[in-house]
């Protein structure tokens, strides 16, 4: 797979020997918010399978989502539609593709269908658990926002949900979409994979059949991984066999002649104030990350950011992207990367097949070490590691084992060890803190009020973590108004500011546990990472 940029979008082109020169290609249109996070790894694996079956494939992040740049307009929906069109144009411009198949998940199925209606080169659609009516989807998003009302801004003009730019203009545009009313004159074949039949789906199928399309409907068996919460990363992978069987039988790829190779240039992405480039490193260069640097300024210090649970390197509600770009604005570089088997990093075995991976049980210290080695090769000299929940656990262990790390940043660290570690002077936890302190590493541990991770913290270091004073350079703080996953934008901004201030404070005096508040926010219910 090759990194590509187009417009303000970041994406990946999957094109190899099997797909090179094919006349038909695929654009994957992911869902929005959590739907995108849950499907990220599965879509990478699907793109690999499509490429192996002869279909050059593009997958990408819509503007204002994932690794793409922010949206300059209030109408995100129009920007997302334009992103799909640009992805299709890029696929055609960089390969021999003449016809397009659009594969859409949830809201991405709406975007795929609307794009197909406006283009003449879309031969097929694959709709995965599609959102068929925008009004129902907006109602669902509104309910989710209300259920998380303590973590989401309560305003009639927009929704603050999962890091999505859902302005009133965007919500109004989505509400107007009804796939029963969409004409698809050029689409020859449509395949729908849905969890359950519905009268609305039946009406859509009848509409498309009346327009001359061949429509196949299948259940969602084997595809649950697309919508499974990301912390279940150790459960079975998606089975795309039915989808691929339908595609190869209905719209087979053929070699188009004459064939001219048009490899896309690897162009850095330039969000405001920073430059982002893709790095590959580790054994066989299977680890993938995004290096975010201040635009026009050189720094020798970098923060390395790992995954949270099974989320891709964007982070929950895109926090890792937001933090990286906030750091760059303050002159600090960062590398956000995927552990093996998560996001864009492969953990393929000798037979080429990927395996499932556990959020905690796999040791990620070697992965952090590989990231730091890559950064050293690029001239960086000092390193911090940062993590949230399971990512904090792995960052903690990486900092203890790698002497090159001089700063540790954890948010809601759930525990210090998976093994029984009874609180005592010689416990693993206290020995680990001794190791960090003796090499003068600086540590900041942030917690939401009432977080479960406070219990092991106080078990090892006493009430209010008073015993942490024995370890110079270590600081811990509870932050009022945030929840476990930092679901609200104000929460993420507050924590980002706290981390940046810590990094910029060269004195960094030790403090015992204290409280900090987020204006106008009350503590919200903790969610599982």
């Amino acid at each position: 797979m090759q990194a590509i940029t187009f417009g303000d979008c970041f994406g990946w082109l999957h094109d190899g020997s099997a797909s090179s020169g094919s006349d038909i290609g695929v654009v994957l249109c992911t869902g929005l918010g959590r739907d995108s996070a849950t499907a990220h790894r599965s879509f990478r694996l699907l793109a690999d399978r499509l490429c192996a079956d002869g279909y050059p494939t593009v997958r990408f992040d819509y503007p204002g989502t994932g690794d793409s740049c922010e949206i300059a307009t209030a109408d995100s929906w129009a920007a997302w539609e334009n992103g799909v069109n640009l992805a299709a144009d890029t696929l055609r411009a960089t390969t021999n593709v003449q016809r397009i198949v659009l594969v859409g998940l949830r809201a991405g199925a709406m975007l795929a269908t609307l794009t197909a209606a406006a283009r003449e080169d879309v031969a097929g659609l694959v709709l995965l658990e599609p959102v068929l009516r925008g009004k129902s989807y907006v109602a669902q998003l509104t309910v989710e926002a209300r259920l998380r009302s303590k973590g989401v801004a309560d305003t009639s003009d927009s929704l603050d949900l999962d890091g999505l730019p859902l302005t009133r203009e965007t919500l109004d545009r989505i509400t107007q979409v009804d796939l029963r009313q969409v004409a698809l004159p050029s689409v020859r074949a449509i395949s729908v994979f849905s969890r359950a039949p519905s009268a609305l789906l039946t009406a859509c199928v009848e509409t498309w059949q009346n327009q001359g399309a061949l429509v196949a409907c299948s259940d969602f068996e084997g595809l649950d991984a697309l919508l499974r919460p990301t912390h279940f990363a150790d459960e079975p992978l998606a089975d795309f066999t039915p989808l691929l069987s339908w595609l190869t039988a209905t719209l087979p790829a053929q070699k188009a002649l004459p064939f001219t190779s048009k490899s896309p240039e690897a162009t850095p992405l330039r969000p405001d104030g920073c430059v982002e480039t893709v790095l590959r490193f580790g054994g066989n260069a299977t680890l993938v990350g995004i290096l975010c640097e201040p635009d026009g300024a050189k720094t020798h210090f970098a923060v390395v950011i790992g995954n949270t649970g099974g989320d891709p390197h964007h982070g929950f509600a895109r926090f890792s992207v937001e933090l990286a770009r906030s750091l760059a604005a303050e002159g600090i570089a960062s590398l956000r990367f995927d552990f093996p088997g998560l996001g864009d990093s492969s953990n393929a075995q000798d037979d080429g097949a990927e395996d499932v991976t556990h959020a905690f049980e796999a040791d990620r210290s070697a992965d952090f070490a590989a990231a730091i080695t890559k950064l050293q090769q690029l001239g960086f000299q000092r390193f911090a590691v940062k993590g949230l929940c399971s990512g904090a656990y792995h960052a903690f262990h990486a900092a203890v084992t790698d002497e090159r790390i001089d700063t540790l940043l954890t948010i809601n660290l759930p525990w210090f060890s998976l093994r029984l570690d009874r609180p005592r002077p010689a416990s693993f936890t206290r020995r680990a803190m001794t190791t960090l302190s003796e090499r003068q590493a600086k540590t900041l541990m942030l917690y939401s009020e009432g977080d479960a991770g406070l219990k092991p913290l106080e078990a090892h270091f006493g009430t209010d973590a008073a015993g942490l004073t024995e370890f110079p350079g270590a600081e811990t703080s509870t932050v009022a108004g945030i929840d476990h996953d930092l679901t609200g934008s104000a929460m993420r901004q507050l924590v980002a500011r706290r981390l940046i201030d810590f990094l910029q404070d060269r004195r960094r005096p030790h403090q015992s546990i204290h409280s900090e508040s987020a204006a106008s926010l009350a503590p919200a219910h903790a969610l599982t990472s």
Side-chain angles (χ1 to χ4, degrees), residues 203-464:
C204 288
V205 170
E206 291 177 352
T207 296
W208 300 330
Q209 288 176 331
N210 290 337
Q211 295 171 8
L214 298 174
V215 184
C217 293
S218 305
D219 60 31
F220 212 65
E221 184 177 357
L223 298 174
D224 288 335
L226 287 168
L227 299 174
R228 183 188 301 138
T230 56
H231 53 272
F232 294 125
D234 55 334
E235 295 198 0
L237 303 173
D239 179 8
F240 291 110
T241 303
L243 186 161
L244 294 166
S245 296
W246 175 85
L247 181 60
T248 54
T250 308
L251 295 167
Q254 299 177 352
K255 297 295 182 180
L257 297 175
F259 168 63
T260 303
S261 178
K262 314 171 191 176
S263 298
E265 297 181 3
T267 305
L269 199 65
R270 293 186 175 272
D272 289 343
C274 54
V275 179
E276 296 192 337
T277 52
V278 173
L279 297 184
R280 296 173 183 267
F281 50 95
N284 298 320
T286 56
L287 297 181
V288 176
I290 304 291
L291 175 63
C292 181
E293 298 178 276
D295 193 1
K298 183 62 178 176
T299 175
H300 297 291
F301 180 73
V303 180
V304 182
I305 305 169
N307 299 96
T308 298
D311 281 343
H313 60 266
H314 314 144
F316 186 91
R318 208 170 171 236
F319 177 53
S320 294
V321 175
E322 294 175 354
L323 175 61
R325 294 173 183 175
S326 295
L327 288 167
E330 301 287 347
I332 302 171
S334 64
L335 171 61
R336 55 186 188 271
F337 79 103
D338 289 310
F339 299 141
L342 297 179
D344 295 316
S345 294
S346 172
N347 69 350
Q349 309 303 303
D350 292 339
D351 60 359
E354 289 215 12
D355 200 0
V356 296
T357 185
H358 193 276
F360 286 96
E361 292 178 0
D363 184 0
R364 307 300 190 182
S365 297
D367 307 324
F368 274 103
I372 291 172
T373 297
K374 180 66 175 182
L375 290 171
Q376 283 183 316
Q377 294 168 355
L378 296 175
F380 290 93
Q381 300 170 3
R382 294 184 55 234
F383 307 97
V385 290
K386 172 267 170 189
L388 167 65
C389 190
S390 63
Y393 171 82
H394 292 302
F396 175 79
H397 283 262
V400 171
T401 59
D402 195 328
E403 294 184 354
R404 296 172 295 178
I405 298 169
D406 66 27
T407 306
L408 169 63
L409 307 168
T410 69
I411 306 164
N412 290 325
L413 173 64
W415 44 69
F416 298 94
S417 175
L418 293 182
R419 298 180 179 180
L420 180 62
D421 186 34
R422 292 189 178 90
R424 63 188 191 281
S427 69
F428 163 78
T429 299
R430 294 183 70 87
R431 286 186 287 113
M433 292 306 302
T434 297
T435 297
L436 293 171
S437 186
E438 287 181 346
R439 73 165 190 257
Q440 299 183 334
K442 305 299 183 182
T443 300
L444 174 64
M445 294 183 283
L446 299 180
Y447 293 90
S448 57
E449 289 184 325
D451 191 82
L454 289 168
K455 185 174 181 179
L457 176 71
E458 296 195 345
H460 286 281
F461 303 108
T463 303
D464 291 341

Side-chain angles (χ1 to χ4, degrees), residues 30 68 108 118 123 187 191 201 253 259 266 286 293 295 334 351 410 470 508 515:
T30 189
S68 292
V187 179
S191 185
L201 176 57
F259 168 63
T286 56
E293 298 178 276
D295 193 1
S334 64
D351 60 359
T410 69
E470 301 174 28
R508 290 183 284 202
S515 180

